[in-house]
Amino acid sequence: MSDADDFITRYLNNITSQYESSRFKPEYEPAEPETTKVTCRDGVELTVDIFRPATPGPYPTIVVRCPYPQQVELWKLHGEHLNRRGYAMVCEWCRGTYTSGGTWEPNVNERNDGADLLAWCEHQDWIDVIGLWGTSYLSLTCWTVADITTPKVASICANHYGTDRFASAYQKGSFRCDVLTAWAMQNAGYPVDADYMKSALHLPQMSVDEDMWGGRLDWYRDWISHPKDADAYWDEGFWGLLKSIPSKVKVPMFIHEGWFDHHLGSALTGYAALNEQVKEHSWLRIGCWNHYFLNPLEGLEPKHLDAAEVPAALEWFDLTLKRKQTPMRQVEYYEIGSDSWHVADSWPLPSAGADEVRLYLKSGELTAEAPQAASAAEYDYDPANPVMTRGGEALLTTMDEIGARIQPEPGWRDDVITFESEPLDHDLHIQGAISVDLYVSSSAPDTAFTAKLMCVDPDGTARNYRTSITTIGLDTPDAAPYKPGEIRRVSIDMWGICWMVPAGSRIRCDISSSDFPQYSVHTNHAGLWSEQTGTQVAHQTIHMGGATPSAIVLPVRG
């Protein structure tokens, strides 16, 4: 059995276990599944698999739209378990995938095709009320029709996706290649046999499709041509439409996210943009898991992690479809470290009651007081020898590295500079978005800087909990061209987190200039990253103390 087959088997077993462990027990037998075709407005026919209980309808019905042929068995499994709990399920295969007609092009057809499926559902007398459900791309297909739902649609459960595509594609000029380069290879519409890592390192990246994959993918080239949030591309066409949808959503939503899911930033932006009427009747739940709802904490097995997709979805659909009740606002979040769940009135958490704690960088140390004397740490960054990702939250394909992973000892590479605090004398409750403010200079006309924030246990075991990156050229929207040797302040901004660092532990921060494949490798040249054809070594300097007080900024409560 291949690693992929083994993962699929374990995943299917995990889904079965989630159904069986939920409070909703089997009450019915499933009927024989059926397959039909739904004709879209342009005449293209899409395959629809129908799963119904072997009892008279009409039924509360879960509707999903899927582009992944490798998930056929998964949705058969969901269909059977849902049937046994009294639900029907409709699974439509996206245009150009599996046995559906038409040509596969990611994203752009999902709104019209999804609307056509809902119109078809409205005329099925065996469908009573509808809930839309999906994770990842399947969640995208929910979002694309969230503002044009039909009368039977009562609610939406959208896991691990958001409406700000730029936030899922870039971090201050660095492309999330482990998410989107790999996804493009896997969903090109034709088989791609090229090596993924070599593909992500290929120069120029703009022509990797024709050079290595066997065909031109204009949609991928669009993604890698627009590294700025202000680029009109992200506010026009499909991505502009997607960004505009939350404020116009019509039905209650359950947004289910994880601290180590690569769509976290985008999903929380989508939740924040919901109109207040819908938000008043929607749920937000943020737990500690990765994109696959798996435990991301290496070597730790917290008792209350509750890393599961199905039971929460069943609670939502039981309330909104079976009992036909209107949910009331609910915000739940998990605090890493204390292994505890908390309830809030709103999200993000209010700034009132939070303190900004700064830990200053000083010659390998993190100190509470800003150093009066200036100092510097230097290293050479060679793009031909990048620091390989060990743990992170913006990962998808390199599955073994997703999450909080045990880190190497300080000094493991000359181009990774470590700073570490003294043991904490009290628990530190970090709640919000962390940033690392650095004063830096480089011999290159543009370059990158990375930060990895860790908890070091009393026994010396270090795990990362937040990572991020910035480029000098795109650190701020109005950043002027960089002059080599100039000292410039940059901010490495991290996604929000709720994390208790226990007393007796240390905080460690590693600074470097690469984190591959979590982020694309910076060539140390200025200009559009995807058109670069070569690399150069850069001499990097981190300036500390005095007039250049580099520091970690922590939002702390309690």
Side-chain angles (χ1 to χ4, degrees):
M1 179 182 291
S2 68
D3 289 343
D5 290 339
D6 180 59
F7 175 78
I8 291 172
T9 298
R10 287 186 288 112
Y11 188 74
L12 294 177
N13 290 339
N14 178 261
I15 292 297
T16 295
S17 176
Q18 289 185 43
Y19 276 103
E20 292 175 347
S21 64
S22 78
R23 70 179 184 88
F24 302 98
K25 303 307 177 185
E27 298 181 50
Y28 310 95
E29 289 298 317
E32 192 67 24
E34 308 166 37
T35 297
T36 189
K37 295 283 186 180
V38 170
T39 303
C40 298
R41 64 192 65 186
D42 61 357
V44 172
E45 293 186 332
L46 304 186
T47 299
V48 173
D49 292 331
I50 300 170
F51 303 83
R52 287 186 271 197
T55 57
Y59 317 97
T61 301
I62 310 297
V63 173
V64 298
R65 300 190 64 252
C66 181
Y68 303 124
Q70 64 269 32
Q71 291 189 3
V72 169
E73 293 304 316
L74 170 63
W75 289 105
K76 287 182 180 177
L77 184 68
H78 276 299
E80 177 185 342
H81 283 294
L82 288 170
N83 290 170
R84 293 185 184 280
R85 288 156 180 83
Y87 297 94
M89 190 187 80
V90 170
C91 177
E92 181 175 70
W93 299 93
C94 295
R95 181 179 295 239
T97 68
Y98 190 38
T99 57
S100 283
T103 301
W104 164 247
E105 183 179 0
N107 309 303
V108 297
N109 294 302
E110 308 308 350
R111 184 170 174 86
N112 285 346
D113 291 352
D116 292 342
L117 176 63
L118 292 183
W120 176 84
C121 289
E122 286 294 318
H123 292 94
Q124 308 308 305
D125 59 10
W126 52 270
I127 294 178
D128 177 25
V129 63
I130 292 171
L132 305 181
W133 188 22
T135 297
S136 195
Y137 192 96
L138 285 75
S139 179
L140 163 72
T141 69
C142 297
W143 274 111
T144 57
V145 295
D147 62 330
I148 55 171
T149 50
T150 51
K152 286 185 178 181
V153 178
S155 71
I156 299 171
C157 178
N159 306 322
H160 296 176
Y161 205 90
T163 56
D164 184 350
R165 183 58 164 187
F166 177 80
S168 294
Y170 283 96
Q171 180 65 25
K172 289 193 172 181
S174 291
F175 191 63
R176 304 186 198 275
C177 52
D178 200 64
V179 180
L180 292 177
T181 300
W183 193 91
M185 294 176 68
Q186 296 159 5
N187 297 277
Y190 54 83
V192 174
D193 296 325
D195 182 83
Y196 157 58
M197 288 292 191
K198 291 180 180 177
S199 294
L201 289 169
H202 181 75
L203 299 177
Q205 185 66 199
M206 190 64 73
S207 62
V208 67
D209 51 359
E210 292 183 328
D211 294 344
M212 296 185 67
W213 300 348
R216 185 182 176 99
L217 296 179
D218 287 326
W219 46 268
Y220 180 71
R221 293 187 178 211
D222 284 341
W223 297 351
I224 63 177
S225 297
H226 299 93
K228 300 178 182 179
D229 190 12
D231 287 345
Y233 171 76
W234 302 107
D235 289 313
E236 297 174 345
F238 179 79
W239 301 122
L241 170 68
L242 185 64
K243 189 183 291 187
S244 74
I245 286 175
S247 65
K248 299 178 288 187
V249 170
K250 296 181 177 181
V251 298
M253 293 196 68
F254 177 18
I255 296 175
H256 209 184
E257 263 299 336
W259 294 126
F260 290 92
D261 171 48
H262 62 269
H263 282 301
L264 175 66
S266 177
L268 294 183
T269 298
Y271 175 79
L274 290 175
N275 65 77
E276 285 304 313
Q277 182 177 0
V278 167
K279 195 180 292 184
E280 186 62 29
H281 301 290
S282 294
W283 290 0
L284 173 67
R285 187 169 188 258
I286 313 170
C288 183
W289 47 69
N290 62 24
H291 192 65
Y292 307 97
F293 284 92
L294 299 175
N295 177 13
L297 308 176
E298 184 178 14
L300 302 175
E301 295 291 340
K303 293 181 180 179
H304 306 296
L305 203 63
D306 194 20
E309 169 186 9
V310 171
L314 292 177
E315 293 285 351
W316 175 254
F317 289 129
D318 178 71
L319 177 67
T320 60
L321 302 189
K322 283 192 172 181
R323 289 188 277 159
K324 296 184 179 180
Q325 294 182 6
T326 301
M328 297 307 297
R329 185 200 302 255
Q330 182 172 296
V331 176
E332 293 181 282
Y333 64 93
Y334 178 89
E335 185 181 57
I336 302 169
S338 66
D339 187 28
S340 59
W341 284 90
H342 302 267
V343 175
D345 295 327
S346 62
W347 194 271
L349 298 175
S351 57
D355 294 319
E356 184 179 277
V357 173
R358 287 180 174 262
L359 297 177
Y360 294 91
L361 280 60
K362 177 187 175 183
S363 302
E365 301 176 23
L366 294 175
T367 65
E369 299 294 329
Q372 297 301 306
S375 62
E378 303 178 45
Y379 62 95
D380 289 329
Y381 159 49
D382 183 359
N385 182 29
V387 177
M388 300 301 291
T389 297
R390 177 60 182 158
E393 56 273 42
L395 293 161
L396 176 64
T397 302
T398 310
M399 288 188 289
D400 290 344
E401 298 302 335
I402 302 174
R405 295 300 188 227
I406 296 174
Q407 299 296 307
E409 293 290 325
W412 66 289
R413 282 180 60 132
D414 292 340
D415 56 354
V416 179
I417 310 300
T418 295
F419 301 87
E420 194 168 272
S421 74
E422 290 296 316
L424 301 180
D425 60 9
H426 63 280
D427 295 342
L428 196 66
H429 295 268
I430 300 170
Q431 295 188 345
I434 301 163
S435 64
V436 180
D437 292 346
L438 294 181
Y439 292 83
V440 298
S441 59
S442 175
S443 64
D446 193 16
T447 190
F449 288 91
T450 65
K452 180 177 289 186
L453 202 62
M454 312 171 206
C455 173
V456 184
D457 296 340
D459 67 1
T461 302
R463 293 178 183 84
N464 63 287
Y465 287 89
R466 274 298 175 256
T467 63
S468 194
I469 192 168
T470 191
T471 59
I472 289 182
L474 294 176
D475 183 71
T476 60
D478 56 351
Y482 180 71
K483 297 178 181 179
E486 171 192 355
I487 297 177
R488 183 170 289 190
R489 179 182 177 276
V490 297
S491 179
I492 303 177
D493 299 328
M494 300 176 174
W495 285 340
I497 192 170
C498 293
W499 165 32
M500 187 199 78
V501 186
S505 302
R506 301 171 186 259
I507 293 177
R508 171 178 155 188
C509 182
D510 281 3
I511 304 296
S512 189
S513 288
S514 54
D515 184 356
F516 175 79
Q518 181 162 216
Y519 298 103
S520 55
V521 174
H522 202 294
T523 64
N524 293 326
H525 290 289
L528 182 60
W529 74 278
S530 54
E531 293 181 345
Q532 303 295 328
T533 59
T535 67
Q536 62 177 327
V537 177
H539 185 71
Q540 316 286 60
T541 304
I542 304 168
H543 300 271
M544 301 167 286
T548 56
S550 294
I552 301 168
V553 183
L554 303 172
V556 174
R557 291 175 181 270

